[in-house]
Amino acid sequence: MKPFIRIGALISGTGTNLQAIIDSFNSGKIQGKVIFVGSDNAQAKGLTRAETIGIPTFVVDYNRIIQEYKNYSEQAQLPNDFVLEDAFAKQSIYPKSTPREKIEFFLKTRAIAECNLLKHMNSYSYDLIVLAGFMRKLSPYFIDHINSASAIPRIMNIHPALLPAFPGTDGYGDTYRYGCKIAGCTVHFVDYGEDSGPIIAQRAFPILETDTLDSVKTKGLQLEWELYAECIRLFSENRIQLVQKTHEKDRKSVIII
Ligand code: GRF
């Protein structure tokens, strides 16, 4: 019998990747279910998709948390288990040359928001967290909470470019505007950097003379839906391993067994 995987999803928008994951459970391609959907955005259409079929949802209002911190930072309640120096040393989203206040602002506001996410998530037992168009960077505070009890990372992301090229929020746009002849998408584990974690799998397609940015996005999304489900299936079957390559001292790579 195939193993059964319980997935928690975090989204910010339309949720077509979420839908593709749900469909792959419904069709029996993967044995498992999406047990909750969380969002930073109460208007995310993906929340309605989930609610319509009875998947529990929750929202953590990042904008409000960040604004409150800006207005009343001296009264901010940081989580009891948040250790600023630890998060500061681990994070690699910002280069170390970035002004310290900027990094601290990011780490503190995210810890408050992520602590709220974790409070919601704690009532569920999940095997894997998938970011399905979740447009917020995660900090070491959250990542360590999720990964602490597991040898393999437990947060996956889908990115709309062939990493390590074009990290950030507009992968297809950046690829298209650069004049690339090949575009693609990447599924990777989340680490302490921006779109920098171990790559699990990628799909590529040619950008034709006749393509527009919209057609590139459409083609890319269709590949994302297939690729994400495939990676979740591999994870559920314990077929994803992390290895340390001898030439890469600080980095681990994924192999599929
Ligand atoms: C996808 O292109 C994904 O790669 C990116 O955001 C988009 C989300 O789309 N991170 P959807 O919400 O799954 O439709």
Side-chain angles (χ1 to χ4, degrees):
M1 218 174 75
K2 285 189 191 166
F4 190 93
I5 186 166
R6 295 156 304 178
I7 284 193
L10 297 178
I11 63 165
S12 298
T14 322
T16 62
N17 276 291
L18 170 67
Q19 187 65 56
I21 294 166
I22 293 168
D23 291 347
S24 61
F25 288 137
N26 289 344
S27 70
K29 181 172 184 231
I30 315 173
Q31 295 295 314
K33 68 193 248 194
V34 176
I35 54 171
F36 67 78
V37 176
S39 182
D40 61 320
N41 169 19
Q43 311 309 322
K45 285 200 186 126
L47 288 173
T48 318
R49 280 180 204 274
E51 282 154 11
T52 311
I53 52 172
I55 299 173
T57 64
F58 57 82
V59 175
V60 172
D61 188 343
Y62 272 58
N63 284 340
R64 185 184 55 75
I65 289 168
I66 292 166
Q67 198 51 49
E68 275 179 13
Y69 187 87
K70 277 185 185 158
N71 295 342
Y72 312 105
S73 62
E74 59 302 333
Q75 288 162 35
Q77 288 281 321
L78 292 164
N80 289 335
D81 57 353
F82 171 66
V83 181
L84 176 62
E85 290 313 317
D86 178 65
F88 191 89
K90 286 174 176 166
Q91 77 81 26
S92 55
I93 287 176
Y94 293 101
K96 297 291 178 217
S97 57
T98 308
R100 173 137 187 147
E101 314 84 77
K102 186 170 177 179
I103 304 179
E104 280 196 15
F105 178 84
F106 168 78
L107 293 171
K108 288 178 178 172
T109 52
R110 293 319 126 111
I112 297 168
E114 291 167 355
C115 182
N116 276 289
L117 284 179
L118 290 165
K119 278 184 193 150
H120 286 285
M121 291 162 58
N122 281 346
S123 48
Y124 304 97
S125 184
Y126 50 84
D127 305 301
L128 178 69
I129 298 300
V130 296
L131 309 183
F134 186 62
M135 303 309 279
R136 300 285 180 172
K137 297 180 190 104
L138 296 172
S139 81
Y141 178 77
F142 184 84
I143 296 168
D144 286 355
H145 268 279
I146 306 294
N147 287 345
S148 57
S150 164
I152 194 102
R154 290 204 302 158
I155 312 173
M156 258 185 209
N157 183 38
I158 184 134
H159 181 75
L162 292 170
L163 292 171
F166 307 119
T169 52
D170 190 14
Y172 294 128
D174 292 340
T175 304
Y176 181 75
R177 285 186 293 270
Y178 196 90
C180 295
K181 304 301 179 200
I182 303 278
C185 53
T186 304
V187 173
H188 64 95
F189 285 123
V190 172
D191 71 359
Y192 300 137
E194 182 170 20
D195 302 322
S196 58
I199 290 173
I200 301 166
Q202 297 180 301
R203 290 280 185 280
F205 59 97
I207 299 179
L208 309 174
E209 294 295 322
T210 48
D211 271 319
T212 61
L213 177 53
D214 277 348
S215 69
V216 167
K217 282 186 178 165
T218 304
K219 289 178 190 179
L221 255 183
Q222 275 163 6
L223 287 184
E224 288 186 33
W225 302 334
E226 283 170 29
L227 184 66
Y228 220 173
E230 180 62 14
C231 291
I232 292 167
R233 186 178 66 78
L234 292 170
F235 186 96
S236 75
E237 294 171 3
N238 289 320
R239 292 181 52 202
I240 300 180
Q241 280 190 355
L242 278 186
V243 292
Q244 188 96 44
K245 301 243 171 93
T246 45
H247 59 280
E248 279 278 12
K249 292 208 171 48
D250 301 326
R251 250 194 103 70
K252 289 193 169 159
S253 303
V254 162
I255 54 167
I256 307 295
I257 53 169

